[in-house]
Amino acid sequence: MTHDALQAISLSIALGVFSYIISRAYKIPAIVFYLVCGLVFGPAGLNLIRTEEAIGGGIAPMVEIAVAIILFEGGLSLSVQGFRMEKKAIRRLLFITIPVTGGAAALLSHYLTGIPWLFAIFFGALIVVTGPTVIGSILKSVALTPRLETLLNWESLWGDVIGVMVSALALEVILISKGGVITAGVFAHLILGSFAGCVVGLAGGVLLKHVVAWLEKLKDPTLSGIACFGGAIALFYISGEIVESSGPLAVVVAGMYLSLKCGDAVVGIRHFKEQIASLFISTLFVLLSAFVNPLEILHLWPTMLAVAFILGAIVRPVAVHLALAGSDVTSSERWYIGVIGPRGIVAVATASYAAFLLPGSPYEMKVILNQTMAIIFFSGVMATLLCRPLASLLKVRVPQSQTGILVVGSNFMSREFARLLAQHVPVAFLETRKEACALTTAQGFQTVCADMLSADVYEEASREGFDRLVALTRNNALNELVALRAASHMAPGRVYRGLARRAEETLLTGEDNVAHIAFSDRFFITEAVSQMEKGQAFLTEKEADQLNEGDIPLARINDEGKSVMILREGLEPSGTLICYSRKKKRKTEVHS
């Protein structure tokens, strides 16, 4: 490895990891930092990362691997249940918004930047993607309505797939046009690629499911992630060899199949892939950002910024409203989707890949690369700045009291508490013991059977909308450990731990800033379970003015039963409450 290559890769790794950490800390899409680092350290800035000289054509396979990782991970994250509920709106977003956006982008790039029609069409195809990595960062920073999260997730992933496949077709048309006549067979290629991608992806998903099932018997949680990572890359390659550009569809189909069939094993697979993706993709996109030199076409930047503004501020909202007109999606949700449409990593990957395949068209590809970077930066910054205030303004932000609650620990008291909570907000159980998991499932609760101390579980729960946790095991130390682990993945103030018993030593000393003590420092889980099992106490809903002496309020029901607030010491009980009440002892007469 030459000194230039070692310097470029080493610096890109360091900058990529730094960008990723900052993005997670401040919940800002990482691609914004990748672009800035590439610009500052690339030829337009300090000139310390010279991608083309250091790596050359070797970056093209790296781009393809990155696309495979992103799309496979996205497939693992999709909710099939969400699609069933919103399939009409999702279909409209994909088949109306994408063509309108792509067509407008092609027109704008041809007439404003002056690139030929074939290149303009290629640009229109690649810029339609919003990107699951960018949307994922936004959804982690703001709790939106379930429908809105579903629509944004599905559009971002399948938009990437459609964008990659159609841009590959447009790229093939450009390559053929340079050496011959464009035939109808080029367009039939898209249909054949879709069929091949679905078949290979489904077959690969079935095979990987059996591999994961076998690996789970070895009791090594890392093996499933490694196997699926390798399998995804293999499927991407095999499908692409059968029909060119069908690989993206194959890995998404495989990921969705695993998500549907592998249950809790998907959590470990996704966690492993996220770590790999974080390192590999962050490095690669610093390199790709440094590959673009805006100084070479500085005179076009005012025009390119105008294109970026028109696409984001006019075309995107209009396309979304056209697509969702007449659907059940509210006007506020349409405006949010229309304004929040950040372009992602796959767009710049596709543009960079094309630049390596078309060395004979340097000017056109420089324009496309710079235009892509401008749109990504503009849309990413706008989405980051607007996602939270716009959600509040349009009233599509879910208040904390309406988010799902994850209950840790299955016992008589916690199951009865969850039953009452579930009448108002989503509730799920987290348990480690298989018999406890079976019991809660049999009683109709959504149950996650996994290691309570695994950070993956809380990351996944937060992603599924369970942004609050209450630990109600009969072990103080376990409640505190769970609270410590969950607090790093959930917003401050959303983690509660119950007191298991009186006069028990705790792990946390001093002021507890990690989690609130649930309910009251006079409520002890072991005592409550014992009394409820004996029929001496019960949980019920009652009004605050009906509280009896000894009643302990556990939660307050708000907004006409549509939200719940877990109570803690210092909060004044009011309105309708879920209470722990002891039965009054009957007086008995003693006859002599």
Side-chain angles (χ1 to χ4, degrees):
M1 182 179 290
T2 65
H3 173 75
D4 284 344
L6 181 61
Q7 174 179 292
I9 293 174
S10 300
L11 190 54
S12 296
I13 291 173
L15 292 171
V17 171
F18 171 77
S19 298
Y20 180 77
I21 292 172
I22 295 298
S23 73
R24 290 297 296 266
Y26 293 98
K27 296 183 178 180
I28 296 173
I31 193 168
V32 174
F33 297 105
Y34 301 154
L35 295 179
V36 172
C37 287
L39 182 65
V40 172
F41 290 87
L46 301 176
N47 200 27
L48 296 177
I49 301 176
R50 295 183 290 274
T51 303
E52 193 167 13
E53 295 178 16
I55 303 173
I59 202 169
M62 294 172 65
V63 169
E64 292 192 275
I65 291 172
V67 171
I69 293 172
I70 293 168
L71 297 182
F72 184 66
E73 186 179 19
L76 287 170
S77 304
L78 283 183
S79 167
V80 176
Q81 182 180 4
F83 176 76
R84 290 173 183 152
M85 294 175 62
E86 305 294 343
K87 57 184 177 183
K88 181 180 178 182
I90 291 170
R91 285 200 302 264
R92 287 187 172 193
L93 271 180
L94 294 176
F95 296 115
I96 297 178
T97 302
I98 287 177
V100 170
T101 304
L107 288 168
L108 288 169
S109 61
H110 174 71
Y111 287 110
L112 294 185
T113 64
I115 61 175
W117 270 115
L118 285 179
F119 288 92
I121 292 170
F122 169 71
F123 171 73
L126 73 87
I127 208 62
V128 298
V129 298
T130 53
T133 53
V134 189
I135 289 295
S137 298
I138 290 172
L139 294 182
K140 285 179 181 178
S141 67
V142 56
L144 302 172
T145 61
R147 172 193 280 160
L148 202 47
E149 289 196 359
T150 297
L151 293 178
L152 288 170
N153 269 324
W154 277 83
E155 185 205 12
S156 67
L157 182 65
W158 282 102
D160 268 6
V161 174
I162 294 170
V164 169
M165 294 186 69
V166 174
S167 60
L169 177 65
L171 182 60
E172 188 173 343
V173 170
I174 294 174
L175 291 169
I176 292 175
S177 69
K178 289 179 175 296
V181 180
I182 301 172
T183 66
V186 173
F187 302 97
H189 178 89
L190 182 62
I191 298 174
L192 186 59
S194 300
F195 177 76
C198 288
V199 171
V200 173
L202 185 59
V206 172
L207 178 61
L208 286 175
K209 173 182 175 290
H210 289 293
V211 171
V212 169
W214 178 72
L215 290 175
E216 283 190 313
K217 298 177 183 178
L218 301 180
K219 306 297 183 183
D220 187 341
T222 63
L223 292 179
S224 295
I226 294 171
C228 288
F229 172 77
I233 302 301
L235 287 175
F236 188 88
Y237 171 75
I238 292 169
S239 187
E241 285 294 298
I242 295 172
V243 178
E244 192 174 357
S245 76
S246 65
L249 181 58
V251 292
V252 169
V253 170
M256 289 181 61
Y257 183 85
L258 288 176
S259 178
L260 188 63
K261 297 294 184 180
C262 283
D264 296 331
V266 172
V267 176
I269 296 170
R270 190 180 295 145
H271 179 65
F272 174 82
K273 287 187 66 58
E274 185 176 351
Q275 290 180 324
I276 293 294
S278 301
L279 180 61
F280 179 77
I281 294 174
S282 61
T283 302
L284 176 61
F285 285 100
V286 172
L287 285 169
L288 290 180
S289 301
F291 179 57
V292 180
N293 187 355
L295 298 179
E296 294 177 333
I297 52 171
L298 196 59
H299 64 285
L300 271 181
W301 266 87
T303 303
M304 291 190 294
L305 288 174
V307 171
F309 176 80
I310 294 170
L311 279 177
I314 300 174
V315 174
R316 168 76 178 173
V318 169
V320 169
H321 276 78
L322 282 175
L324 298 178
S327 70
D328 294 335
V329 182
T330 66
S331 176
S332 295
E333 289 171 331
R334 291 180 209 170
W335 274 111
Y336 194 85
I337 297 172
V339 175
I340 306 299
R343 271 44 187 171
I345 284 173
V346 172
V348 69
T350 304
S352 301
Y353 181 75
F356 285 105
L357 294 184
L358 296 170
S361 305
Y363 176 76
E364 292 85 354
M365 292 314 303
K366 284 177 183 177
V367 173
I368 289 175
L369 272 170
N370 278 271
Q371 182 69 81
T372 302
M373 292 294 189
I375 291 173
I376 289 173
F377 190 80
F378 177 81
S379 62
V381 170
M382 288 299 99
T384 300
L385 294 175
L386 295 177
C387 65
R388 285 185 283 269
L390 187 64
S392 299
L393 178 65
L394 296 175
K395 297 182 180 179
V396 295
R397 189 171 188 172
V398 177
Q400 177 182 333
S401 58
Q402 292 181 10
T403 57
I405 298 175
L406 190 65
V407 179
V408 180
S410 172
N411 53 60
F412 194 96
M413 177 266 160
S414 66
R415 291 192 296 273
E416 181 64 12
F417 184 52
R419 183 186 66 80
L420 293 172
L421 289 176
Q423 297 175 17
H424 309 284
V425 294
V427 176
F429 266 95
L430 171 60
E431 255 293 353
T432 301
R433 297 168 296 138
K434 289 187 177 180
E435 61 274 14
C437 294
L439 180 59
T440 54
T441 302
Q443 293 188 1
F445 293 109
Q446 182 178 344
T447 305
V448 178
C449 200
D451 180 6
M452 292 181 181
L453 301 181
S454 171
D456 308 342
V457 174
Y458 303 109
E459 183 86 14
E460 178 68 12
S462 184
R463 185 178 297 168
E464 293 293 328
F466 293 94
D467 290 327
R468 291 181 287 173
L469 176 140
V470 55
L472 298 176
T473 76
R474 286 178 278 189
N475 184 308
N476 266 347
L478 182 56
N479 288 340
E480 291 172 356
L481 286 172
V482 166
L484 282 168
R485 186 56 56 92
S488 62
H489 297 278
M490 296 180 175
R494 298 194 179 191
V495 178
Y496 299 80
R497 60 182 181 89
L499 297 178
R501 51 175 56 88
R502 299 175 187 269
E504 184 177 44
E505 290 188 5
T506 63
L507 296 176
L508 299 176
T509 58
E511 185 180 355
D512 181 6
N513 294 317
V514 175
H516 299 301
I517 294 177
F519 317 139
S520 168
D521 55 11
R522 298 177 291 110
F523 182 87
F524 303 98
I525 298 167
T526 51
E527 291 181 10
V529 170
S530 175
Q531 291 178 352
M532 291 177 69
E533 287 177 338
K534 294 175 182 177
Q536 298 172 354
F538 58 96
L539 300 186
T540 186
E541 290 187 11
K542 61 170 60 177
E543 297 301 317
D545 55 10
Q546 297 175 349
L547 291 178
N548 298 317
E549 185 179 354
D551 286 350
I552 299 177
L554 308 183
R556 185 171 68 219
I557 301 166
N558 301 324
D559 302 327
E560 299 179 352
K562 296 179 181 179
S563 66
V564 170
M565 176 181 290
I566 304 295
L567 293 178
R568 55 186 172 87
E569 202 70 41
L571 290 180
E572 187 68 26
S574 60
T576 305
L577 305 168
I578 297 175
C579 292
Y580 172 79
S581 298
R582 295 180 179 88
K583 289 187 176 179
K584 294 181 180 179
K585 295 182 180 180
R586 294 181 179 177
K587 294 181 180 180
T588 57
E589 295 182 3
V590 180
H591 299 278
S592 56

